[in-house]
Amino acid sequence: IPIAVSGTATSGVDYSTIPSSITFPAGQTSVSFTFNALADGVAEGIETVNLVFAIPDPCGGNANQTINLKINDVAPVQVTVISDDVLCPGNPIEVIANATGGVGPYVYAWNTGETTSSIFVNPTSTQTYTVSVTDNCLLQTAVGSGTVNVPVFLPLTATSSPDITEICPYIPATLSVTATGGSGVYTYQWSAGSTNLGTASTQDVLPSSSTTYNVLITDQCGNTTNEQVVYTITSAPLILTMSPSQLICPGDSAYVSVTASGGYGQYYYNWAINGATTDGIWVKPTETTLYEVSVSDE
């Protein structure tokens, strides 16, 4: 069967040789042959190859069979690595290989050893990631790289207001802290023992006894530092001891008193029942009675 070849593509340049005819051996119902599209390195757009098999029909007429093929240019393989900068060291980021040209599927080889079209990395310092991409047609390889910039911060430090010493309790004070370095955008957590207080850079306090105030400073990358302010009250706590409860007959007299210790300076007394200002009073109850006294120091 003769083969007539036509079209815009050029034999030997755009494709390999096509036989001028095919022969069917006796008793054989199929014959095959191959030819290849060639990469001529010239961008020519789509070119055609038409194969007409001149097959006569049983009556001597024309039963031609036609195959129309198209050869498309394959652009050279190129790859662009898409990356970005990270806000904090160690943050995860996806690095993507964007391959064009050639014919897929592409084969990827990163300098990290991975073979996917993108990789997830957690750089703690500025890193350059390189990938080679090979196509499935031209078997060409292109290499691309992208850099992930990681910021370098000064160490996170903080300075708090000085320690405080007072004679008396319940003297108000405003504590403060100033943070520097780190990645900025600071958050604060003040505490006294296991009790959380405020979340500002300043904290108002009114301690009843000597207290150590801690503040935890955190930057937006999660780095932390601690500062503390010691508020010392030099006077001992004011403690009261009442005279023992007494059992008397109705109308009998009894002496009720209070003993104060600690605090600072002179004591001042005030009995609720009669306003007396001494440390003790005589009482003459006719029924069971509770006596209350308040004591303050200077």
Side-chain angles (χ1 to χ4, degrees):
I1 298 177
I3 304 175
V5 181
S6 63
T8 60
T10 302
S11 176
V13 176
D14 298 310
Y15 59 90
S16 61
T17 301
I18 297 174
S20 59
S21 65
I22 54 172
T23 300
F24 286 82
Q28 188 167 320
T29 59
S30 66
V31 175
S32 65
F33 66 93
T34 62
F35 68 99
N36 298 318
L38 304 177
D40 59 6
V42 180
E44 301 168 298
I46 296 177
E47 297 179 283
T48 60
V49 181
N50 305 311
L51 284 69
V52 180
F53 297 85
I55 302 174
D57 65 17
C59 298
N62 186 336
N64 292 352
Q65 299 292 313
T66 301
I67 298 176
N68 298 314
L69 305 175
K70 296 179 180 180
I71 300 176
N72 194 9
D73 288 327
V74 179
V77 180
Q78 295 181 330
V79 60
T80 302
V81 176
I82 302 173
S83 62
D84 203 351
D85 299 337
V86 295
L87 179 64
C88 303
N91 276 3
I93 186 173
E94 184 180 17
V95 181
I96 303 170
N98 183 23
T100 58
V103 175
Y106 301 107
V107 176
Y108 301 89
W110 292 88
N111 62 338
T112 60
E114 294 165 279
T115 58
T116 52
S117 60
S118 67
I119 58 175
F120 287 89
V121 294
N122 304 75
T124 57
S125 60
T126 297
Q127 300 289 333
T128 297
Y129 298 94
T130 302
V131 62
S132 62
V133 178
T134 303
D135 82 325
N136 194 41
C137 178
L138 304 178
L139 299 181
Q140 291 180 341
T141 299
V143 177
S145 62
T147 299
V148 177
N149 292 302
V150 179
V152 178
F153 300 116
L154 294 174
L156 176 61
T157 59
T159 303
S160 60
S161 52
D163 293 341
I164 299 172
T165 300
E166 295 285 356
I167 296 175
C168 303
Y170 301 111
I171 296 178
T174 298
L175 313 181
S176 64
V177 65
T178 301
T180 57
S183 58
V185 190
Y186 308 113
T187 59
Y188 308 89
Q189 180 61 67
W190 291 87
S191 62
S194 59
T195 302
N196 287 330
L197 303 175
T199 56
S201 60
T202 60
Q203 177 65 44
D204 294 329
V205 296
L206 189 70
S208 61
S209 60
S210 295
T211 305
T212 298
Y213 295 95
N214 292 286
V215 58
L216 175 68
I217 304 99
T218 306
D219 68 8
Q220 64 181 337
C221 288
N223 300 307
T224 61
T225 187
N226 281 282
E227 279 291 307
Q228 68 177 23
V229 179
V230 179
Y231 192 127
T232 302
I233 299 172
T234 57
S235 61
L238 177 57
I239 298 175
L240 303 181
T241 303
M242 292 294 294
S243 56
S245 298
Q246 302 183 50
L247 182 65
I248 62 173
C249 294
D252 280 354
S253 296
Y255 186 73
V256 181
S257 64
V258 63
T259 300
S261 62
Y264 178 76
Q266 185 176 351
Y267 301 122
Y268 302 91
Y269 306 90
N270 182 38
W271 291 87
I273 194 169
N274 58 8
T277 58
T278 58
D279 61 352
I281 57 173
W282 282 97
V283 296
K284 194 175 182 179
T286 59
E287 59 183 359
T288 299
T289 304
L290 179 70
Y291 295 94
E292 183 178 277
V293 63
S294 63
V295 182
S296 60
D297 64 4
E298 294 182 16

